[in-house]
Structure formats: structure tokens, C-alpha cells
Amino acid sequence: MSTRRLLIAGAFLLPFAPLSIAEVRVSVEHRPDGSAFEFKSVPAPANNDAATKAEFTLVDGERDRNGGQLAVLHDGRVPTDEDEPAESYFFRAGTDGGRLQIDLGSVIAVKQVSTYSWHANTRAPQVYRLHAADGTANGFSAAPRKGTDPASCGWKLVASVDTRPKDGDGGGQHGVAVFDPASGVLGHYRYLLFDILRTEDRDAFGNTFYSEIDVIDVNGPAPTAATAGDGEPVVRSFEAAGGKYRFTLEATAAPDLMEWADTNLRPVVQEWYPKLVAMLPSEGFQAATNLSLRFRNDLGGTPASTSGGRVNMNSGWFRREREREALGSVVHELVHVVQNYGRARRANPNATRTPGWLVEGMADYIRWFLYEPETKGAEITERNLARAKYDASYRITGNFLNWVVQNHDQEIVRKLNAAAREGRYAEQLWREWTGKTLPEVGEEWKKANEDRINAARPKVDQEKTDVSAK
Ligand SMILES: [Zn+2]
């Protein structure tokens, strides 16, 4: 599916210029499954355009610290993934966009302005107004904040852009080109001002992940394409369940890990992904059939993460853990791919949010008790008993869920998953399925662990008493 729209703006902004009526055209293209910033009506991102050396300034709004600096918008590099915060610029979660100014250094004949973005869902589309100025108008303000109409201080509105599709959340790659097909010159400008809005306010994550902004100079060099990735691609593909599921394994960022991954990780994925899908069904749900597993060097302290059907693996951590925790961590991430709880909230604004401790606890229950029970990696012992709270997340919640499976309801994980995926998780369900409130089941589990640990303690005090009594 691809949506294209043409908007005309600016035609009536020049009151007395019948011989040079600007006809600004905005080409918009959306590639839901795009991965290479290849569009039909929008040129590929460039790395030698006039924006490359321009000065970018945040005029209003706040950068999200999880994302890159303004430099990522004109470094001639595009992200290689739909969820690559470090390679994207976006405004802080919960805020409504902001304003960015570009100073090209001098007035140039601007041929075209292009913007590119990429995300899995609502942070992909672009909503902004583009203003431009040569900086010579009386009362020109180079940095008008929100609340000041740029038209009142020497700017001209060039285009209004809104790439949100009518249906769906717009996930994928978006490319926008603003140009004047008739004259070939958009205008003579030194400054550009992007007045950027968020795409939605249903949750805090409506600010677009912008990948790159290009400004093409009529008199500049022929554009050369921006680069993506870390070098020669190191990729292998494989299938599972007789071709029903397809995987790409990418080790471009860590070629030394490919052999280990192909030998050790691939069979685990081939065996376990279909198992997880079968284990966690819900009505009408189809789990992702195309997945990617990618080594990355930019995950900081996070061992692995998941976004949609993409599993990111921290190269450094996997190198250290390949004989220990690496395979289990991928099973955990594959559970997240199958869970897919974000979809309920995207489809239904009234969907309930499943608490994070439960989402992680389910993934760790499956990992530690079904995938690798022999490692006993999620036991409650004397050492961690004090921290044993049902909502302590990860392994501890995993242990709690295992106990509930054994003592109350063998189907509880399947049922919790279906409720969470359909956006109808509620604490009340625990009562329905176990006859007790969630805190009561939690207490029961904790007590059972205390009793077991106490029973196993050597009865030193008892023996002493017996000895002294003799
Ligand atoms: Zn997790």
C-alpha cells in the first residue's frame, strides 16, 4: 500500500506577481514496508546537499534525550531500522512538536526541500509547515517561537505537509519533497523554519522520528545518496515451520558473531518461534511471519530489545554471554514479538494497558520455566526471598506465574496473553480465574516459598536446645 497526495500551497501568497506565480508542489510517499528509503516520487536522501553544512537550531520545543542530536538530520546518514532513536531526531515524549530553523549561510536558489522519517507506527508520519525567508525583510526574526506567526516577522509559508494516512497508524518510511515543477526554483532563501506538530495525542508518543532533511541547491552538485548501515552487509536468511515464518539474521555490525548465530541461535529460533506462536493464541490473531534478528552496537546497557518483528541484539553483550544467557534472552524477545500488545492500543483508544511487570514476567516465565528449566535461573531462594513480590517483574514474576500455573490454573498464561493482546487486561481477571485477588494470590505464593525455604533450613537452634537439655 502506498499513499500519495499532492498539496498546493503558496499560489496566492504573492499578491502582485502575475508573471511569477509560484506553484509549490508537495510529493508525499509512504512505504509501509520500506527499508531503503526508496521512493518513486521523492528522491533518495542525499549526503552532499545544502543542508549537510547548514546550521540547524532548535527554536522552540524540547529534544527527546532518547534520540539523536540535530546533527542526525543532516549528517548524510539514514537509520537502518524503524526504531533507531540514536539516528533519529524527535521532540520529547508528551510534548507537541516544536520549531527547527535551518540557516544555509547565504541566500541560495533552493530547488527542493525533502524530509524523511521512519518508525513502526504513529511516529512515522510527518506533520509540519515549512516557512522560508531570505532574511532581508523589515522586522525579520530568525527564530520566532510558537505563538508567533512567522508571516508576521519576515517569513513566507511555503508548504503545509501532513503525511498521515486515512487508515492505519502510518508505520513505515515517509518521504516528502517540496518543489516547484514549473520554474524549477522553490525560491531564493537563506533560512528555513519547520513548524512541526505531533501526529497524535492519544499517548505520549506522537512525535515523529525524523531521519534526515535535505535542501537541494539549484547550483549545487548532483545529489549522491545518503549511506545507511555500518558497512558491507552480513546477512543470512532462514525459515521455520516449513516456510511459514521467515527470518533475516543481520550481523553487519558484528560480523564475528555470524557463525555463532547461524550455528547456535538459528536452530533455537526455528524451534521456538512456532512454539511460542502456538502457545500464545488469541482469536483472529496472526503473529508476525517476517522477523529480523539484528546485532547492533548502539544499544548501550540493554542486552536486547524488540520493536514489532525486529529483535535487536547488543553485540558486546552477546559476545560475552554466548555460552550463558544469550539464547534465552532471544527466546524472551521472541515472546515479545508474539505478544504484540501495542496493537490493541493502536486500534482501540479505550484498550487497557497491561502492566509492564506482567508483560516481562510472561516472557521470563516462558524463557526460564519452559525453554531452559534446567538452568534454574528464576528460583526463589533465601537470597532473594525478601524481594519476592509478584509484581517484581522479569524472573520473579516469572516464578510467580509458574506457581500459579501449577497451583491454580494451567491455562492462565494463555488467558492473560489473550486479554492483554485484546486490550482487556484487568486485575479482576485474577479473581475470576483463581478465586482470589491478585494480591492474595501473590501472598499465597510468597508464603509457599517461605515455608519451603524454612523447611529446608538446617534446624541448628533445635539441635542446640536438645543438646543442652541432656
Ligand atoms: Zn522483555
Side-chain angles (χ1 to χ4, degrees):
M1 185 190 75
S2 158
T3 55
R4 277 201 228 171
R5 242 175 299 164
L6 298 180
L7 304 174
I8 308 293
F12 307 105
L13 294 176
L14 297 170
F16 319 108
L19 297 176
S20 62
I21 288 183
E23 189 199 310
V24 172
R25 184 172 295 174
V26 180
S27 288
V28 166
E29 207 168 322
H30 173 208
R31 293 203 54 193
D33 302 316
S35 63
F37 287 99
E38 287 171 353
F39 305 102
K40 293 189 186 76
S41 60
V42 176
N47 63 6
N48 62 340
D49 58 288
T52 310
K53 287 179 181 151
E55 192 178 329
F56 280 51
T57 306
L58 176 62
V59 171
D60 205 340
E62 249 183 279
R63 177 179 80 90
D64 194 305
R65 289 181 184 193
N66 296 310
Q69 304 279 350
L70 281 170
V72 303
L73 290 175
H74 57 125
D75 60 357
R77 283 161 39 88
V78 287
T80 51
D81 192 81
E82 65 188 4
D83 187 12
E84 205 153 59
E87 290 290 327
S88 310
Y89 185 92
F90 48 102
F91 292 100
R92 188 167 68 81
T95 66
D96 186 6
R99 285 181 172 181
L100 303 180
Q101 185 242 65
I102 300 177
D103 180 356
L104 298 164
S106 60
V107 174
I108 65 169
V110 174
K111 182 181 181 191
Q112 181 177 300
V113 176
S114 322
T115 54
Y116 306 88
S117 55
W118 195 8
H119 191 263
N121 44 64
T122 54
R123 312 186 82 168
Q126 306 176 22
V127 184
Y128 65 83
R129 279 188 296 270
L130 172 63
H131 307 265
D134 61 11
T136 60
N138 275 338
F140 173 66
S141 163
R145 294 176 59 93
K146 274 185 192 174
T148 299
D149 180 0
S152 72
C153 50
W155 294 83
K156 176 180 153 186
L157 176 65
V158 176
S160 293
V161 171
D162 184 345
T163 76
R164 289 174 292 189
K166 280 202 195 74
D167 302 306
D169 56 22
Q173 295 185 335
H174 291 243
V176 173
V178 182
F179 59 108
D180 181 335
S183 71
V185 182
L186 188 60
H188 292 82
Y189 300 121
R190 172 174 172 175
Y191 300 98
L192 300 173
L193 183 71
F194 288 88
D195 188 7
I196 297 171
L197 301 175
R198 61 185 163 195
T199 65
E200 52 96 3
D201 59 4
R202 294 191 304 277
D203 55 38
F205 307 107
N207 281 314
T208 305
F209 269 38
Y210 284 94
S211 312
E212 189 79 2
I213 295 178
D214 285 354
V215 179
I216 307 298
D217 182 346
V218 171
N219 302 307
T224 53
T227 50
D230 309 275
E232 281 299 296
V234 179
V235 181
R236 277 179 211 173
S237 303
F238 61 90
E239 298 177 343
K244 185 171 181 191
Y245 303 112
R246 289 175 296 280
F247 302 84
T248 26
L249 180 57
E250 205 204 309
T252 305
D256 59 303
L257 287 172
M258 182 52 106
E259 197 189 330
W260 170 84
D262 202 31
T263 312
N264 298 277
L265 179 58
R266 181 167 54 80
V268 170
V269 172
Q270 285 172 313
E271 179 187 349
W272 277 84
Y273 186 69
K275 271 193 190 181
L276 299 173
V277 173
M279 205 181 282
L280 300 172
S282 63
E283 213 179 313
F285 175 73
Q286 297 284 347
T289 52
N290 286 289
L291 285 79
S292 78
L293 303 151
R294 191 157 77 98
F295 288 107
R296 289 173 59 161
N297 298 325
D298 60 350
L299 296 182
T302 305
S305 66
T306 294
S307 162
R310 293 158 186 267
V311 174
N312 302 304
M313 305 178 288
N314 184 330
S315 315
W317 189 85
F318 272 71
R319 247 175 231 120
R320 291 194 300 278
E321 293 290 332
R322 62 187 128 180
E323 306 299 329
R324 293 163 15 96
E325 297 217 352
L327 296 173
S329 83
V330 173
V331 171
H332 174 111
E333 297 304 324
L334 291 175
V335 173
H336 288 326
V337 173
V338 178
Q339 284 175 318
N340 201 355
Y341 297 161
R343 84 199 270 277
R345 291 177 64 80
R346 290 196 291 276
N348 169 14
N350 299 318
T352 60
R353 187 186 282 275
T354 305
W357 61 264
L358 184 56
V359 179
E360 296 301 343
M362 287 162 79
D364 258 9
Y365 160 69
I366 291 172
R367 172 193 177 168
W368 295 110
F369 293 93
L370 305 181
Y371 166 68
E372 50 182 334
E374 70 286 353
T375 63
K376 300 197 182 301
E379 301 295 295
I380 302 299
T381 62
E382 203 163 353
R383 204 164 44 79
N384 66 6
L385 182 62
R387 285 182 282 125
K389 305 214 166 55
Y390 67 87
D391 59 355
S393 196
Y394 293 102
R395 302 175 193 219
I396 294 181
T397 299
N399 185 290
F400 167 65
L401 289 171
N402 181 54
W403 186 88
V404 178
V405 167
Q406 290 177 346
N407 293 276
H408 281 288
D409 186 345
Q410 289 194 355
E411 296 291 311
I412 195 144
V413 172
R414 182 182 59 76
K415 292 180 341 195
L416 285 168
N417 171 70
R421 188 185 283 143
E422 288 161 5
R424 53 179 179 79
Y425 171 81
E427 215 178 288
Q428 171 64 23
L429 292 172
W430 290 86
R431 181 159 213 156
E432 215 170 283
W433 294 334
T434 66
K436 297 195 162 84
T437 66
L438 174 58
E440 283 167 1
V441 191
E443 272 311 307
E444 210 185 25
W445 158 75
K446 181 152 192 177
K447 177 83 169 49
N449 276 292
E450 278 166 0
D451 290 350
R452 175 180 53 79
I453 288 166
N454 285 333
R457 266 194 192 116
K459 296 191 174 51
V460 178
D461 292 349
Q462 185 72 38
E463 281 162 20
K464 267 187 194 156
T465 311
D466 288 348
V467 172
S468 61
K470 276 185 183 171

